Amino acid sequence: MHIGNLRTALFAYLFAKSQNGKFILRIEDTDQGRYVEGAVDVIYETLRTAGLIHDEGPDIGGEYGPYVQSERKGIYRKYAEELVAKGEAYYCFCQKGEKESESMEGYDRHCRNLSKEEVEAQLAAGKPYVIRQRIPLDGTTSWNDMVYGEISVENSTLDDQVLLKSDGMPTYNFANVVDDHLMNITHIIRGSEYLSSNPKYLLLYEAFGWEKPQYIHLPIINGKNPDGSISKLSKRHGAVSFQALVEQGYLPEGIVNYIALLGWSPKTDQEIFSMDELIEQFSVAGVHKSPAVFDYQKLGWVDGQHITGMDPEKFQHDALPYAHIDGTFLEPKWTKLATLLQSRITKYSDIPEKIAFLLQMPEYDIDLYIHKKNKSTIETSAVILSRAIECLTALEDWSEESLLASMTDLAGQTGLKLGPLTWPVRIALSGLAATPGGAIDILFLLGKEESLKRLNAGLVLTSKEN
């Protein structure tokens, strides 16, 4: 499910729940040529994983079923024929691609004014037909969109859209109007790309004499291009489906939280929300007209906040498969390692890169030992590493407590604070300027043998410069 589709579903869910209403799942599969095997299962799984639990739908039933449009085929024919009888629609016998007008887009209304006798003759001859909406040729159609405000469209700009196709299946534009009425839908939330079709929907409601629902159109979602420009969010911008983001290790709660902020702002400065908090604060008044921009960096920050706030045991369980440490020396120390990682990643797939230095010492630049704030130089680093190796070699208890006590004692002996003392130690152990955890943590994780091996290599490197 594309992020844009999920946001539409999310806003519909939040609006329904905030108003003590119902969130309805309907499978709109009238275009059988575009049917994809397994797509419905993806919808179910995505909504379930995202926490959007529908009140009525194909799988659980409800008052207004069936909820799959292909199973409602007979219903649409009845209403299409009703419109023909009212003079609000007409039979069109033109074959696809015929009778295209040079003066307007689409069909030129060739069959719009066929006589009753001509229509009956064509029907009697068994000629294939579609049923088209008879759009008024003058006047305007207006409505007050809950996001975009008052909108008016000249009817002369609208085409006589197909309502019922030659195979008896309705078009989406017709089926959704019929179903929304029959299912007592009061509010419809969809993307702003449907704004141009909305006048035709409203004219159908008028033709039937039905009460019109409220419409809420959402702005499009754009993505950032490499050159800094923006364009409609697509695969060239990266993962754009909910499933792909989950597979990359983002939490469903983090994704949903971030998507809620695409085109909507709460009344407060709060940015991290649970689903219940989103429901409580959601208001259509907070939906923007301008396009939203999908920012992976902001998604990462939001997701990172959710990861940090997780129950530690749940994090340890869920994150372990991403670490790939089965059978390594780190496996029995996963609880400690997970504690260090939980507040330092934006998604689970960050973990391998974060811990790679523990599994294999990287090559590194000797200049990492130079740190102005810690008054660390290559020369002072060599001295500290020598003293640290001597101290740690004599240490028999390689527990975190003993390591901290030993390093603290060494800091006192050298007249240094713990930070400046452990800077060169951490560089020699990791080869990195930034690591999950400090020198004591890394010493514990690596164990005595590997730690001393790396410290001695660091001492050799720094001593060469002296």
Side-chain angles (χ1 to χ4, degrees), residues 323-341:
H324 307 300
I325 58 173
D326 292 354
T328 71
F329 69 92
L330 289 175
E331 185 177 5
K333 296 178 178 178
W334 171 241
T335 298
K336 169 63 179 178
L337 184 54
T339 301
L340 298 175
L341 290 169

Side-chain angles (χ1 to χ4, degrees), residues 78-382:
K78 170 193 167 188
Y79 284 99
E81 297 286 1
E82 179 181 325
L83 289 179
V84 172
K86 286 184 171 184
E88 301 288 353
Y90 60 93
Y91 297 105
C92 174
F93 302 96
C94 300
Q95 297 303 302
K96 190 173 183 179
E98 290 182 347
K99 305 298 181 182
E100 290 183 347
S101 170
E102 295 179 2
S103 60
M104 63 172 286
E105 290 187 14
Y107 180 63
D108 71 352
R109 298 183 168 123
H110 174 77
C111 293
R112 180 181 173 112
N113 297 312
L114 292 179
S115 67
K116 183 179 179 181
E117 292 73 22
E118 289 175 300
V119 171
E120 289 178 350
Q122 298 276 33
L123 292 174
K127 189 167 184 181
Y129 65 87
V130 299
I131 294 180
R132 289 184 180 271
Q133 183 177 1
R134 190 185 296 272
I135 298 288
L137 300 179
D138 52 17
T140 60
T141 298
S142 304
W143 78 97
N144 186 39
D145 189 87
M146 293 181 69
V147 172
Y148 287 86
E150 190 70 23
I151 298 176
S152 294
V153 176
E154 296 291 329
N155 292 334
S156 60
T157 65
L158 306 175
D159 65 302
D160 287 2
Q161 67 173 347
V162 174
L163 305 179
L164 203 70
K165 294 179 281 190
S166 57
D167 61 1
M169 289 293 285
T171 59
Y172 164 80
N173 287 337
F174 183 53
N176 85 77
V177 169
V178 172
D179 287 344
D180 288 339
H181 170 72
L182 295 180
M183 295 180 183
N184 282 331
I185 301 299
T186 58
H187 294 76
I188 299 167
I189 300 183
R190 52 169 62 104
S192 58
E193 63 268 26
Y194 288 98
L195 276 169
S196 61
S197 299
N198 217 55
K200 291 182 275 191
Y201 304 152
L202 293 168
L203 288 169
L204 284 171
Y205 279 97
E206 290 179 8
F208 282 118
W210 293 340
E211 183 179 353
K212 301 168 187 173
Q214 292 288 313
Y215 288 95
I216 302 164
H217 286 86
L218 306 178
I220 64 171
I221 301 176
N222 287 325
K224 288 184 179 179
N225 299 318
D227 63 359
S229 63
I230 61 173
S231 58
K232 190 171 182 179
L233 187 66
S234 65
K235 290 182 179 179
R236 67 176 176 272
H237 296 115
V240 294
S241 74
F242 178 78
Q243 185 178 14
L245 291 174
V246 171
E247 289 173 353
Q248 286 187 5
Y250 292 98
L251 296 180
E253 308 94 283
I255 301 169
V256 168
N257 185 162
Y258 177 65
I259 290 175
L261 301 174
L262 288 176
W264 172 77
S265 297
K267 294 179 180 178
T268 66
D269 293 331
Q270 183 176 349
E271 291 187 281
I272 305 305
F273 294 89
S274 66
M275 183 66 81
D276 287 342
E277 288 172 326
L278 284 172
I279 292 170
E280 182 181 351
Q281 294 204 35
F282 187 80
S283 168
V284 175
V287 178
H288 309 158
K289 295 180 184 178
S290 56
V293 178
F294 194 96
D295 184 338
Y296 289 92
Q297 186 174 354
K298 184 62 178 288
L299 167 63
W301 178 81
V302 171
D303 198 62
Q305 297 300 305
H306 280 270
I307 290 176
T308 300
M310 286 179 68
D311 175 76
E313 289 189 7
K314 178 173 173 56
F315 174 78
Q316 291 168 26
H317 176 272
D318 293 353
L320 179 56
Y322 291 85
H324 307 300
I325 58 173
D326 292 354
T328 71
F329 69 92
L330 289 175
E331 185 177 5
K333 296 178 178 178
W334 171 241
T335 298
K336 169 63 179 178
L337 184 54
T339 301
L340 298 175
L341 290 169
Q342 186 167 356
S343 62
R344 292 175 171 88
I345 62 172
T346 61
K347 58 184 183 300
Y348 288 147
S349 57
D350 292 341
I351 293 175
E353 182 180 352
K354 290 285 186 184
I355 67 174
F357 76 95
L358 292 168
L359 297 168
Q360 183 174 355
M361 181 67 186
E363 294 184 9
Y364 63 97
D365 191 331
I366 194 172
D367 287 344
L368 282 176
Y369 286 102
I370 302 171
H371 192 273
K372 188 174 181 180
K373 182 179 178 182
N374 287 317
K375 298 179 180 179
S376 178
T377 66
I378 295 174
E379 293 79 9
T380 61
S381 294

